[in-house]
Amino acid sequence: MEPRLVGPGPYRATRLWNEIIELFRAGMPVRKHRCRFKSYDRCFKASEAVDILHELLGSNQNFGPEVTRDQTVKLLKKFLKNHVIEDIKGRWGKEDFQDDGHLYRFPPSSPLKSYPKKPSCGKEIIKFPDWNAPKAGTSQEHIPVKSVSMNSEMWYKRHSIAIGEVLACKLVFRRELTQTNIEEIWKSMTLSQLQKVLGLDSLDEVLDARLVNSKHIVQNAYNVNKQDIVTLEDKSKELPHWILSAMKCLANWPRCSDLKQPTYAGFEKDVFKTIVDYFDQMKEPLLTFHLFDVFVSVLGLLQKHSKAVEALQISCLLLPPENRKRLQLLVRMMARISLNKDLPPLSESVRTRTLMVQVFSRCILCSNDEIDLDELLAAKLVSFLMDNYQEILSVPSALKSSIEDHVVHLQRVQIKCARADTDATFPPQSFCHQISTDEFEYQRATGSQEPLETLLEEIVMNKEITVKDKKKKLKQFQKSYPEVYRVRFPTPRTEAVLFPEKTKQKPPILMWALKKPFQPFHRTRSFRM
């Protein structure tokens, strides 16, 4: 069985779990071993299992060569606890697997994990306000700017005769969007873009949209400082000052701003242990349990760098603001520590970058389910975050601009035409106060004048009709709308430019006429032979 890339989609962690088990069972050689004067068939040593599984994970493109031997041992402990393997006496259920010479074997029953059946939450439909319907308790009489209905029989008949068929149109006045409306628009368009980037038909199997807080998305997008770090409205959710000081100390080593310079050897290790202990005591990872499947799906896009970055940008917008801020500060510290050559080694046996990934992966991403490959998946995600944290943890500008343009579009007054694909928009007008009859007539005239000007310009620029038909349509338009026509053609000269007169060519003069003047006919006598 050849390893394959498991792309984004529902139950990706479960699919990876089952694939690794199948590959391990197929690739692990088993033979007869002796233990305490007794022979056991079809078994293997623990150290051999670590060797085989570590090589398998390192060559698998879903995990990569960053997988350590220690992570492989932890995975085999999970295998033993979940009866993927058992010792030679048939015992399992405990995580007491060690990298030694103890003998283990595969159970006869299939250890594959079944796909969970999540309760159907249905597709969440974001209900936007009905812009065309009047508010409850109001009538059209209270709206000073009335809809200009252009589909009356008389209006339609006149235009059909004058300039051909004209679509029935009316003005639609948009209501002012509330903050709740804007937040729901942000949520709807953000989830839609995430679904598009992941290439999924639906997000239902990887995310419960009801758990996504629209306020969090808006706050993460707008409440940021110059470094794109989230600023919290609730100051009680900020990191403790002593933790911030410790993180700044290691991130800026040896230029510690909030702490005095160390006076004893190993000071940096104590500061690092303080930070690790604080993040280890969190009850939920920074990327939250309910978003675990989303981030695991994003891991399937790491082969496509730009798509993976965009997917992570959008996914991190869904986090609670306090989680997003802590993630930003933590990953930035990890990246700086890994690149800081002036910082003494924080471990005697592990490289600094590997140490960062090992100790902080679980507080960033982990599953509520023990069986999942959360440690391996978290290590891969954290490594990618460290390499691209500045881009990933910034607000996606393209998405932000798209949503803002959409909100502005919804706040405009529009002309809706039957069978029209697009709307002609006008600047929003206030209709919260009563106006006079003269002002109403002026608004109605100016509101309907622009589409008529557009229509006249289309006739002028139309090159598919003959000059005769164009003159006829323009004459009919002038008769129907003299004021609009006068604005476009204020003088006869501006109208004449459209139809330049053709100069008639005179017939050429015969050359012989110039050489010999015309002579009258003279009758002569006929000669007979």
Side-chain angles (χ1 to χ4, degrees):
M1 178 180 179
E2 292 294 330
R4 54 187 173 82
L5 179 64
V6 179
Y11 315 123
R12 184 174 187 268
T14 302
R15 287 183 287 155
L16 288 171
W17 171 270
N18 290 341
E19 181 181 276
I20 290 300
I21 291 175
E22 291 176 345
L23 291 171
F24 179 54
R25 287 179 67 100
M28 183 67 219
V30 294
R31 58 186 178 86
K32 182 186 291 186
H33 286 82
R34 290 183 62 84
C35 180
R36 295 182 181 181
F37 308 104
K38 189 174 181 180
S39 297
Y40 297 92
D41 294 329
R42 299 185 61 78
C43 58
F44 50 86
K45 290 183 179 181
S47 58
E48 295 174 346
V50 177
D51 293 337
I52 296 297
L53 185 58
H54 184 227
E55 181 181 357
L56 187 152
L57 293 171
S59 60
N60 192 309
Q61 54 186 331
N62 294 295
F63 302 98
E66 297 87 3
V67 179
T68 63
R69 190 174 183 87
D70 182 61
Q71 290 173 332
T72 305
V73 173
K74 290 180 180 178
L75 179 57
L76 284 165
K77 287 183 177 182
K78 288 190 175 184
F79 281 0
L80 180 60
K81 184 175 182 179
N82 294 282
H83 206 195
V84 176
I85 59 176
E86 62 184 17
D87 67 11
I88 53 176
K89 295 184 179 180
R91 293 174 297 192
W92 59 278
K94 295 182 179 180
E95 292 190 7
D96 54 359
F97 183 93
Q98 300 294 330
D99 189 359
D100 53 23
H102 281 77
L103 298 179
Y104 294 89
R105 66 189 181 191
F106 292 112
S109 60
S110 174
L112 298 182
K113 182 181 176 183
S114 59
Y115 293 98
K117 295 182 179 180
K118 294 185 178 181
S120 177
C121 58
K123 293 186 178 180
E124 183 183 14
I125 301 176
I126 306 298
K127 294 184 178 180
F128 295 102
D130 186 357
W131 315 112
N132 301 324
K135 291 183 178 179
T138 62
S139 63
Q140 295 291 339
E141 296 177 357
H142 296 92
I143 301 178
V145 183
K146 296 181 180 180
S147 298
V148 180
S149 180
M150 300 184 184
N151 58 349
S152 65
E153 182 180 358
M154 190 171 176
W155 190 96
Y156 190 86
K157 182 178 180 181
R158 182 174 65 181
H159 282 72
S160 298
I161 297 174
I163 51 178
E165 184 180 2
V166 178
L167 298 177
C169 303
K170 67 176 181 179
L171 286 176
V172 178
F173 294 91
R174 303 292 192 182
R175 297 204 189 106
E176 182 179 357
L177 292 176
T178 65
Q179 182 63 23
T180 303
N181 297 146
I182 295 175
E183 290 170 355
E184 290 303 309
I185 292 171
W186 264 91
K187 175 180 176 179
S188 175
M189 295 187 67
T190 300
L191 295 181
S192 176
Q193 183 64 19
L194 178 61
Q195 177 180 328
K196 178 181 178 181
V197 175
L198 292 178
L200 303 178
D201 295 331
S202 172
L203 290 177
D204 291 344
E205 299 297 340
V206 298
L207 175 67
D208 186 349
R210 296 173 299 181
L211 300 179
V212 177
N213 192 322
S214 57
K215 293 181 180 294
H216 292 169
I217 301 175
V218 176
Q219 185 174 347
N220 289 334
Y222 289 102
N223 294 5
V224 295
N225 60 17
K226 294 181 180 180
Q227 289 77 34
D228 270 340
I229 304 295
V230 178
T231 56
L232 301 182
E233 297 177 352
D234 187 355
K235 300 303 180 182
S236 64
K237 296 181 179 180
E238 295 277 5
L239 280 173
H241 177 72
W242 54 275
I243 284 293
L244 282 174
S245 299
M247 295 173 70
K248 289 179 181 179
C249 177
L250 292 184
N252 300 314
W253 187 276
R255 301 180 302 277
C256 301
S257 57
D258 295 342
L259 295 175
K260 295 181 180 180
Q261 289 292 337
T263 57
Y264 63 89
F267 173 79
E268 68 283 348
K269 293 183 180 179
D270 291 343
V271 175
F272 181 68
K273 186 177 185 304
T274 301
I275 300 171
V276 173
D277 291 342
Y278 176 82
F279 283 97
D280 277 346
Q281 53 83 32
M282 294 191 311
K283 296 181 180 179
E284 188 176 20
L286 294 176
L287 298 184
T288 70
F289 286 134
H290 82 271
L291 291 177
F292 176 79
D293 289 334
V294 174
F295 285 100
V296 170
S297 291
V298 174
L299 286 175
L301 295 174
L302 293 189
Q303 304 293 330
K304 304 174 182 178
H305 184 273
S306 59
K307 279 191 172 293
V309 169
E310 182 181 2
L312 286 173
Q313 278 184 330
I314 299 173
S315 301
C316 289
L317 278 181
L318 309 181
L319 297 172
E322 58 272 17
N323 286 40
R324 180 179 171 88
K325 182 170 185 176
R326 295 185 180 197
L327 179 67
Q328 289 173 319
L329 296 175
L330 178 60
V331 176
R332 185 175 66 175
M333 181 204 72
M334 294 166 59
R336 290 183 178 180
I337 290 177
S338 300
L339 298 175
N340 192 349
K341 297 181 180 180
D342 296 329
L343 182 67
L346 299 174
S347 174
E348 301 296 335
S349 57
V350 182
R351 293 189 304 111
T352 302
R353 177 184 171 86
T354 305
L355 179 66
M356 294 296 110
V357 174
Q358 287 182 356
V359 298
F360 290 117
S361 290
R362 190 163 183 81
C363 73
I364 293 177
L365 179 70
C366 71
S367 171
N368 229 351
D369 190 350
E370 295 180 340
I371 303 179
D372 280 320
L373 303 168
D374 51 356
E375 293 181 4
L376 295 176
L377 298 173
K380 193 169 184 66
L381 178 66
V382 170
S383 296
F384 191 79
L385 275 173
M386 289 174 61
D387 294 334
N388 306 276
Y389 75 95
Q390 290 182 329
E391 191 175 5
I392 291 174
L393 296 178
S394 62
V395 179
S397 56
L399 176 65
K400 184 178 179 181
S401 300
S402 175
I403 296 176
E404 289 175 345
D405 291 344
H406 183 67
V407 170
V408 171
H409 173 74
L410 292 178
Q411 291 175 328
R412 292 183 183 276
V413 179
Q414 300 186 355
I415 284 187
K416 282 192 173 290
C417 298
R419 304 192 304 273
D421 296 332
T422 58
D423 298 332
T425 58
F426 291 94
Q429 300 183 21
S430 173
F431 49 89
C432 297
H433 60 278
Q434 189 173 4
I435 59 176
S436 63
T437 304
D438 294 337
E439 188 174 357
F440 165 71
E441 293 296 335
Y442 171 76
Q443 290 186 8
R444 181 174 64 176
T446 56
S448 59
Q449 186 173 1
E450 185 172 344
L452 293 175
E453 292 174 351
T454 304
L455 188 60
L456 176 59
E457 196 65 24
E458 290 180 357
I459 298 175
V460 171
M461 301 303 295
N462 193 344
K463 298 181 179 180
E464 297 180 0
I465 59 177
T466 62
V467 174
K468 182 179 179 181
D469 291 337
K470 182 178 291 188
K471 287 182 178 180
K472 182 178 179 181
K473 288 182 179 292
L474 288 175
K475 186 175 181 180
Q476 292 170 340
F477 191 99
Q478 182 183 20
K479 185 177 180 180
S480 301
Y481 303 103
E483 295 180 359
V484 178
Y485 191 89
R486 194 179 303 116
V487 172
R488 178 63 175 82
F489 302 104
T491 62
R493 180 177 298 179
T494 57
E495 183 180 4
V497 174
L498 286 178
F499 310 103
E501 296 183 359
K502 296 183 179 179
T503 57
K504 296 183 178 180
Q505 296 182 355
K506 296 182 178 180
I509 302 176
L510 299 178
M511 297 301 296
W512 62 268
L514 295 176
K515 294 181 180 179
K516 186 177 182 180
F518 178 76
Q519 296 179 358
F521 176 76
H522 295 283
R523 187 170 183 178
T524 60
R525 293 181 179 180
S526 59
F527 297 95
R528 297 181 179 177
M529 300 297 295

Coordinates of all heavy atoms in Angstrom, one line a residue, residues 297-346:
S297 N -8.1 20.2 8.3 CA -8.3 20.3 6.8 C -7.4 21.2 6.1 O -7.0 20.9 5.0 CB -9.8 20.7 6.6 OG -10.7 19.8 7.0
V298 N -7.0 22.3 6.8 CA -6.1 23.2 6.1 C -4.7 22.6 5.9 O -4.0 22.9 4.9 CB -5.9 24.5 7.0 CG1 -4.8 25.4 6.5 CG2 -7.2 25.2 7.1
L299 N -4.3 21.6 6.8 CA -3.1 20.9 6.7 C -3.0 20.2 5.3 O -1.9 19.9 4.8 CB -2.9 20.0 7.8 CG -2.5 20.6 9.2 CD1 -2.4 19.5 10.3 CD2 -1.2 21.3 9.1
G300 N -4.1 19.8 4.8 CA -4.1 19.2 3.5 C -3.8 20.1 2.3 O -3.6 19.6 1.2
L301 N -3.6 21.4 2.6 CA -3.3 22.3 1.5 C -1.8 22.8 1.6 O -1.5 23.7 0.9 CB -4.2 23.6 1.6 CG -5.7 23.3 1.4 CD1 -6.5 24.6 1.7 CD2 -6.0 22.9 0.0
L302 N -1.0 22.3 2.5 CA 0.3 22.8 2.7 C 1.2 22.6 1.5 O 2.2 23.4 1.3 CB 1.0 22.1 3.9 CG 0.4 22.4 5.3 CD1 1.3 21.8 6.4 CD2 0.2 23.9 5.5
Q303 N 0.8 21.7 0.6 CA 1.6 21.6 -0.7 C 1.3 22.8 -1.6 O 2.2 23.1 -2.4 CB 1.1 20.3 -1.4 CG 1.3 19.0 -0.6 CD 2.7 18.7 -0.3 OE1 3.6 19.0 -1.1 NE2 3.0 18.0 0.8
K304 N 0.2 23.5 -1.4 CA -0.1 24.7 -2.1 C 0.0 25.9 -1.1 O -0.9 26.3 -0.4 CB -1.5 24.7 -2.7 CG -1.7 23.5 -3.6 CD -3.2 23.4 -4.0 CE -3.4 22.1 -4.9 NZ -4.9 22.0 -5.2
H305 N 1.2 26.5 -1.1 CA 1.6 27.5 -0.1 C 0.6 28.6 0.1 O 0.1 29.0 1.2 CB 3.0 28.0 -0.3 CG 3.5 28.9 0.7 ND1 3.3 30.3 0.7 CD2 4.2 28.7 1.9 CE1 3.8 30.8 1.8 NE2 4.4 29.9 2.5
S306 N 0.3 29.3 -1.1 CA -0.6 30.4 -1.0 C -2.0 30.1 -0.5 O -2.6 30.9 0.3 CB -0.6 31.1 -2.4 OG -1.2 30.2 -3.3
K307 N -2.5 29.0 -0.9 CA -3.8 28.6 -0.5 C -3.8 28.2 1.0 O -4.8 28.5 1.7 CB -4.4 27.4 -1.3 CG -4.9 27.8 -2.7 CD -5.6 26.6 -3.3 CE -6.4 27.0 -4.5 NZ -7.5 27.9 -4.2
A308 N -2.8 27.6 1.5 CA -2.7 27.3 2.9 C -2.6 28.5 3.7 O -3.3 28.6 4.8 CB -1.5 26.4 3.1
V309 N -1.9 29.5 3.3 CA -1.8 30.8 4.0 C -3.1 31.5 4.1 O -3.5 31.9 5.1 CB -0.7 31.7 3.4 CG1 -0.8 33.1 4.0 CG2 0.7 31.1 3.6
E310 N -3.8 31.5 3.0 CA -5.1 32.2 2.9 C -6.1 31.5 3.8 O -6.9 32.1 4.5 CB -5.6 32.2 1.5 CG -7.0 33.0 1.4 CD -7.5 33.0 -0.1 OE1 -6.9 32.4 -1.0 OE2 -8.6 33.6 -0.3
A311 N -6.1 30.1 3.8 CA -7.0 29.3 4.6 C -6.8 29.6 6.1 O -7.7 29.7 6.9 CB -6.9 27.9 4.2
L312 N -5.5 29.6 6.5 CA -5.2 29.9 7.9 C -5.5 31.3 8.3 O -5.9 31.5 9.4 CB -3.7 29.6 8.1 CG -3.3 28.1 8.1 CD1 -1.8 27.9 8.2 CD2 -4.0 27.4 9.3
Q313 N -5.3 32.3 7.4 CA -5.7 33.6 7.7 C -7.2 33.7 8.0 O -7.6 34.3 9.0 CB -5.4 34.5 6.5 CG -4.0 35.0 6.3 CD -3.9 36.0 5.2 OE1 -4.6 35.9 4.2 NE2 -2.9 36.9 5.3
I314 N -8.0 33.1 7.2 CA -9.5 33.1 7.4 C -9.9 32.3 8.7 O -10.7 32.8 9.5 CB -10.2 32.6 6.2 CG1 -9.9 33.4 4.9 CG2 -11.7 32.6 6.4 CD1 -10.4 32.9 3.6
S315 N -9.3 31.1 8.8 CA -9.6 30.3 10.0 C -9.3 31.0 11.3 O -10.0 30.9 12.3 CB -8.9 29.0 9.9 OG -9.2 28.3 8.7
C316 N -8.1 31.7 11.3 CA -7.7 32.4 12.6 C -8.6 33.6 12.9 O -8.7 34.1 14.0 CB -6.3 32.9 12.5 SG -5.1 31.5 12.6
L317 N -9.4 34.1 11.9 CA -10.4 35.2 12.2 C -11.5 34.7 13.0 O -12.2 35.4 13.6 CB -10.9 35.8 10.8 CG -10.0 36.8 10.1 CD1 -10.8 37.3 8.9 CD2 -9.7 38.0 11.0
L318 N -11.8 33.3 13.0 CA -12.9 32.8 13.7 C -12.6 32.6 15.2 O -13.6 32.3 15.9 CB -13.3 31.4 13.1 CG -13.5 31.4 11.5 CD1 -13.9 30.0 11.1 CD2 -14.5 32.3 11.1
L319 N -11.4 32.8 15.6 CA -11.0 32.6 17.0 C -11.6 33.7 17.9 O -11.8 34.8 17.4 CB -9.5 32.6 17.1 CG -8.8 31.4 16.4 CD1 -7.3 31.7 16.5 CD2 -9.1 30.1 17.0
P320 N -11.8 33.4 19.2 CA -12.1 34.4 20.1 C -10.9 35.4 20.2 O -9.8 35.0 20.0 CB -12.3 33.7 21.5 CG -12.6 32.3 21.1 CD -11.9 32.0 19.8
P321 N -11.2 36.7 20.3 CA -10.1 37.7 20.2 C -9.0 37.4 21.2 O -7.8 37.6 20.9 CB -10.8 39.0 20.5 CG -12.2 38.8 20.1 CD -12.5 37.4 20.4
E322 N -9.3 37.0 22.4 CA -8.3 36.7 23.4 C -7.4 35.6 23.0 O -6.2 35.6 23.2 CB -8.9 36.5 24.8 CG -9.8 35.3 24.9 CD -11.3 35.7 24.6 OE1 -11.5 36.8 24.0 OE2 -12.2 34.9 25.0
N323 N -8.0 34.5 22.3 CA -7.2 33.4 21.8 C -6.3 33.9 20.7 O -5.1 33.5 20.6 CB -8.1 32.3 21.3 CG -8.7 31.5 22.5 OD1 -9.1 32.1 23.5 ND2 -8.8 30.2 22.4
R324 N -6.9 34.7 19.8 CA -6.1 35.2 18.6 C -4.9 36.0 19.1 O -3.8 35.8 18.6 CB -7.0 36.0 17.7 CG -6.2 36.5 16.5 CD -7.2 37.3 15.6 NE -6.5 38.0 14.5 CZ -6.2 37.5 13.3 NH1 -6.5 36.2 13.1 NH2 -5.6 38.2 12.4
K325 N -5.1 36.9 20.1 CA -4.0 37.7 20.6 C -2.9 36.8 21.2 O -1.7 37.0 21.0 CB -4.5 38.7 21.6 CG -3.4 39.6 22.1 CD -3.9 40.8 22.9 CE -2.8 41.8 23.3 NZ -3.3 43.0 23.9
R326 N -3.3 35.9 22.0 CA -2.3 35.0 22.7 C -1.5 34.2 21.6 O -0.3 34.0 21.8 CB -3.0 34.1 23.7 CG -3.6 34.8 24.9 CD -4.2 33.9 25.9 NE -4.8 34.7 27.0 CZ -5.1 34.2 28.2 NH1 -4.8 32.9 28.5 NH2 -5.6 34.9 29.1
L327 N -2.2 33.7 20.6 CA -1.6 33.0 19.5 C -0.6 33.9 18.8 O 0.6 33.4 18.5 CB -2.6 32.5 18.6 CG -2.1 31.7 17.4 CD1 -1.5 30.3 17.8 CD2 -3.2 31.4 16.3
Q328 N -0.9 35.1 18.5 CA 0.0 36.0 17.9 C 1.2 36.3 18.7 O 2.4 36.2 18.2 CB -0.7 37.4 17.6 CG -1.8 37.3 16.5 CD -2.6 38.6 16.4 OE1 -2.9 39.2 17.4 NE2 -2.9 39.0 15.2
L329 N 1.1 36.5 20.0 CA 2.2 36.8 20.8 C 3.1 35.6 21.0 O 4.3 35.6 21.0 CB 1.7 37.3 22.2 CG 1.0 38.7 22.2 CD1 0.5 39.0 23.6 CD2 1.9 39.8 21.6
L330 N 2.4 34.4 21.2 CA 3.2 33.2 21.4 C 4.0 32.7 20.2 O 5.2 32.4 20.3 CB 2.2 32.0 21.9 CG 2.9 30.7 22.1 CD1 3.9 30.7 23.2 CD2 1.8 29.6 22.4
V331 N 3.4 32.7 19.0 CA 4.1 32.3 17.8 C 5.2 33.2 17.5 O 6.2 32.8 17.0 CB 3.1 32.1 16.7 CG1 3.8 31.7 15.4 CG2 2.0 31.0 17.0
R332 N 4.9 34.5 17.7 CA 6.0 35.5 17.4 C 7.2 35.3 18.3 O 8.4 35.3 17.8 CB 5.5 36.9 17.6 CG 6.5 38.0 17.2 CD 5.9 39.4 17.2 NE 5.5 39.7 18.6 CZ 5.1 41.0 19.0 NH1 4.9 41.9 18.0 NH2 4.8 41.2 20.2
M333 N 6.9 35.0 19.6 CA 8.0 34.7 20.5 C 8.8 33.4 20.1 O 10.0 33.4 20.1 CB 7.5 34.5 21.9 CG 8.6 34.2 23.0 SD 7.9 33.4 24.4 CE 7.6 31.7 23.8
M334 N 8.0 32.4 19.7 CA 8.7 31.1 19.3 C 9.6 31.3 18.1 O 10.7 30.8 18.0 CB 7.6 30.1 19.0 CG 6.8 29.7 20.2 SD 5.2 28.8 19.7 CE 5.9 27.4 18.8
A335 N 9.1 32.1 17.1 CA 9.9 32.3 15.9 C 11.1 33.1 16.2 O 12.2 32.8 15.7 CB 9.0 33.1 14.9
R336 N 11.0 34.1 17.1 CA 12.2 34.9 17.4 C 13.2 34.1 18.2 O 14.4 34.3 18.0 CB 11.8 36.2 18.2 CG 11.0 37.2 17.3 CD 10.7 38.4 18.1 NE 10.0 39.4 17.3 CZ 9.6 40.6 17.7 NH1 9.8 41.0 19.0 NH2 9.0 41.5 16.9
I337 N 12.7 33.3 19.1 CA 13.7 32.5 19.9 C 14.4 31.5 19.0 O 15.6 31.3 19.2 CB 12.9 31.7 21.0 CG1 12.4 32.7 22.1 CG2 13.8 30.6 21.7 CD1 11.6 32.1 23.2
S338 N 13.7 30.9 18.1 CA 14.3 29.9 17.2 C 15.4 30.5 16.3 O 16.4 29.9 16.0 CB 13.3 29.3 16.3 OG 12.3 28.6 17.0
L339 N 15.3 31.8 16.0 CA 16.3 32.5 15.1 C 17.3 33.3 15.9 O 18.3 33.8 15.3 CB 15.5 33.4 14.2 CG 14.5 32.8 13.2 CD1 13.8 33.9 12.4 CD2 15.2 31.8 12.3
N340 N 17.2 33.3 17.2 CA 18.1 34.1 18.0 C 19.4 33.3 18.4 O 19.4 32.4 19.2 CB 17.4 34.5 19.3 CG 18.2 35.6 20.1 OD1 19.4 35.9 19.8 ND2 17.6 36.2 21.1
K341 N 20.5 33.7 17.7 CA 21.7 32.9 17.9 C 22.4 33.4 19.2 O 23.3 32.7 19.7 CB 22.7 33.2 16.8 CG 22.1 32.6 15.5 CD 23.1 32.9 14.3 CE 22.6 32.3 13.0 NZ 23.5 32.6 11.9
D342 N 22.0 34.5 19.8 CA 22.6 35.0 21.1 C 22.0 34.3 22.3 O 22.6 34.4 23.4 CB 22.4 36.5 21.2 CG 23.1 37.3 20.1 OD1 24.2 36.8 19.7 OD2 22.6 38.3 19.7
L343 N 20.8 33.7 22.1 CA 20.2 33.0 23.3 C 20.9 31.7 23.5 O 21.0 30.8 22.6 CB 18.7 32.8 23.0 CG 17.9 32.1 24.1 CD1 17.8 33.1 25.3 CD2 16.5 31.8 23.6
P344 N 21.3 31.4 24.7 CA 21.9 30.1 25.1 C 20.9 29.0 24.8 O 19.7 29.2 24.9 CB 22.2 30.2 26.5 CG 22.3 31.7 26.8 CD 21.3 32.3 25.9
P345 N 21.4 27.7 24.5 CA 20.5 26.6 24.3 C 19.5 26.4 25.5 O 20.0 26.4 26.6 CB 21.4 25.4 24.1 CG 22.7 26.1 23.6 CD 22.8 27.4 24.4
L346 N 18.3 26.2 25.2 CA 17.3 25.9 26.3 C 17.2 24.4 26.6 O 16.5 24.1 27.5 CB 15.9 26.5 25.8 CG 15.9 28.0 25.6 CD1 14.5 28.4 25.1 CD2 16.2 28.8 26.9

